[in-house]
Amino acid sequence: MIRLEHVNFAYHEEPVLRDVSFTVAPGETKVILGTSGSGKSTILKIILGLVTPSSGRVMINGLDVTTAREKDLRALRKKIGMVFQGGALFDSMTVAENIGYYLLEYTDQPLSEIEQTAREILRYLELSEDLLDVLPDELSGGMQRRVAIGRAIAAENPSIMLYDEPTTGLDPISTQKITELIVKLQQEKGVSSIVVTHQITDAFDISDRFLVVHEGRVVFDGNAQELLDCRDGYVCEFLRPYLDSVKALPLKTGQ
Ligand SMILES: Nc1ncnc2c1ncn2[C@@H]1O[C@H](COP(=O)(O)OP(=O)(O)OP(=O)(O)O)[C@@H](O)[C@H]1O
Ligand SMILES: [Mg+2]
């Protein structure tokens, strides 16, 4: 489904990703952990074909995005729901227009149908339909993130979801709602997902598959138990502040 093979990438000669390889199987959720600047968002941009690696292969749904034509890339992107870092909604558009953005922009669907889709999605997000005509700045941070996920799933029933720090800056209850939504999308719609996060404790609620990146390299790729056993010096150091709270949590298995 998603496979990166020996991907290298640099901004202005400065290496950002170094020999990055990993796979996300169909229906699997992979959590990417790493400190600020380690290259996490860049990995998502590479998967979307927004930036091109200097070497390596990136296979998404059988298409090599590093060599694909723009037309094929566009078709592929429709199958990928992206929730950008910060959740960025369009401030001057209502919730309904935000959720229906891709339908308004790229399809000929009549407004009444788009509004119906927006209603269904609000229900799926467990948000009130009364929010349809509300502007984003009237919503709480947690609601805005859920609407951003709604916008990502509205377009074409995506088979891949990419989330860039979907819970950063949210309170524990809003965070839990987002993690539940991510798990629900995986379980009910069978999407493959990548979730970039700084919040290790939430990561364990989301999945059992982890990737840790450090200075553009993959320093860990494995399951929760292997992560907690941390054999790599950097991974242990990274985890240490969190270990006590994480070890108290029941681990997800078999995902
Ligand atoms: N447009 C750009 N031009 C130049 N350098 C960039 C650009 N975007 C990112 N970088 C650099 O690439 C590196 C990786 O950035 P990236 O955004 O992938 O990190 P990240 O792991 O997502 O960080 P964060 O957790 O802060 O979001 C950083 O050193 C960053 O400064
Ligand atoms: Mg980032």
Side-chain angles (χ1 to χ4, degrees):
M1 175 69 57
I2 301 175
R3 195 165 74 238
L4 275 71
E5 294 173 5
H6 306 293
V7 167
N8 286 285
F9 178 72
Y11 277 119
H12 313 301
E13 322 259 303
E14 193 60 37
V16 171
L17 297 180
R18 306 161 202 245
D19 198 28
V20 168
S21 299
F22 69 91
T23 304
V24 183
E28 184 178 272
T29 300
K30 181 88 97 182
V31 173
I32 302 186
L33 300 166
T35 48
S36 192
S38 53
K40 305 178 300 295
S41 296
T42 306
I43 290 175
L44 300 186
K45 286 180 198 155
I46 281 186
I47 290 170
L48 280 166
L50 297 177
V51 295
T52 309
S54 39
S55 61
R57 269 198 345 155
V58 182
M59 301 299 296
I60 313 290
N61 289 355
L63 184 74
D64 183 349
V65 303
T66 60
T67 54
R69 291 172 306 171
E70 192 52 38
K71 176 172 147 283
D72 295 328
L73 269 180
R74 269 203 301 273
L76 175 71
R77 282 193 200 121
K78 285 191 184 167
K79 289 285 170 206
I80 303 180
M82 173 77 195
V83 180
F84 288 95
Q85 196 160 355
L89 294 172
F90 302 112
D91 292 340
S92 59
M93 293 185 181
T94 64
V95 165
E97 287 164 343
N98 266 287
I99 292 177
Y101 178 75
Y102 295 105
L103 300 172
L104 285 164
E105 203 66 6
Y106 300 111
T107 69
D108 298 325
Q109 273 190 34
L111 276 178
S112 59
E113 261 179 46
I114 294 177
E115 192 185 303
Q116 189 50 33
T117 304
R119 268 180 210 287
E120 281 163 23
I121 285 184
L122 280 176
R123 229 174 291 140
Y124 192 81
L125 300 170
E126 295 175 13
L127 291 171
S128 159
E129 290 179 34
D130 298 342
L131 297 179
L132 277 178
D133 298 320
V134 163
L135 291 173
D137 67 4
E138 294 172 58
L139 302 176
S140 71
M143 286 174 168
Q144 289 182 13
R145 299 289 172 86
R146 276 190 276 169
V147 171
I149 294 175
R151 185 175 61 191
I153 61 176
E156 290 229 7
N157 257 336
S159 57
I160 294 176
M161 288 292 293
L162 307 176
Y163 305 87
D164 201 348
E165 304 202 17
T167 59
T168 300
L170 298 182
D171 63 84
I173 291 175
S174 305
T175 295
Q176 196 187 343
K177 289 227 180 284
I178 300 283
T179 52
E180 282 169 6
L181 186 56
I182 292 171
V183 171
K184 179 161 118 166
L185 276 164
Q186 188 223 358
Q187 289 176 344
E188 291 182 4
K189 299 198 188 277
V191 295
S192 309
S193 326
I194 296 182
V195 185
V196 168
T197 181
H198 279 292
Q199 276 136 302
I200 279 198
T201 43
D202 309 334
F204 285 83
D205 287 336
I206 292 172
S207 180
D208 181 43
R209 302 265 160 230
F210 299 90
L211 197 76
V212 181
V213 281
H214 179 51
E215 294 177 353
R217 281 182 213 284
V218 174
V219 293
F220 175 85
D221 186 358
N223 67 25
Q225 194 56 59
E226 289 159 348
L227 183 65
L228 294 177
D229 291 344
C230 68
R231 297 208 172 83
D232 176 274
Y234 172 75
V235 176
C236 304
E237 195 185 314
F238 177 74
L239 280 177
R240 196 171 301 125
Y242 308 96
L243 276 180
D244 289 341
S245 56
V246 168
K247 281 192 169 149
L249 296 170
L251 292 183
K252 282 198 148 203
T253 48
Q255 244 196 55

Coordinates of all heavy atoms in Angstrom, one line a residue, residues 56 66 73 186 194 211 244:
G56 N 15.7 7.1 -4.5 CA 14.8 6.1 -3.8 C 13.5 6.0 -4.5 O 13.2 6.7 -5.5
T66 N 7.5 8.9 -7.5 CA 8.7 9.7 -7.9 C 8.8 9.8 -9.5 O 9.5 10.7 -10.0 CB 10.0 9.1 -7.4 OG1 10.1 7.7 -7.9 CG2 10.0 9.0 -5.9
L73 N -0.7 11.3 -10.6 CA -0.6 11.8 -9.2 C -1.8 12.5 -8.7 O -2.2 12.3 -7.6 CB 0.5 12.9 -9.2 CG 2.0 12.4 -8.9 CD1 2.9 13.6 -8.9 CD2 2.1 11.7 -7.6
Q186 N -10.0 3.7 10.7 CA -9.2 2.5 10.3 C -10.1 1.3 10.4 O -10.1 0.5 9.4 CB -8.0 2.4 11.2 CG -7.1 1.3 10.8 CD -6.6 0.4 11.9 OE1 -6.9 0.7 13.1 NE2 -5.8 -0.6 11.6
I194 N -1.1 7.0 8.3 CA 0.1 7.4 9.0 C -0.2 8.6 9.9 O -0.9 9.5 9.4 CB 1.2 7.8 8.0 CG1 1.6 6.6 7.1 CG2 2.4 8.4 8.7 CD1 2.7 6.9 6.1
L211 N 7.3 4.1 14.0 CA 8.5 4.4 13.3 C 9.1 5.6 14.1 O 8.3 6.6 14.4 CB 8.1 4.9 11.9 CG 9.2 4.9 10.8 CD1 9.5 3.5 10.4 CD2 8.7 5.7 9.6
D244 N 7.3 6.1 32.1 CA 6.5 5.7 33.3 C 5.0 5.7 32.9 O 4.3 4.8 33.2 CB 6.8 6.6 34.5 CG 8.2 6.3 35.0 OD1 8.7 5.1 34.7 OD2 8.7 7.1 35.7

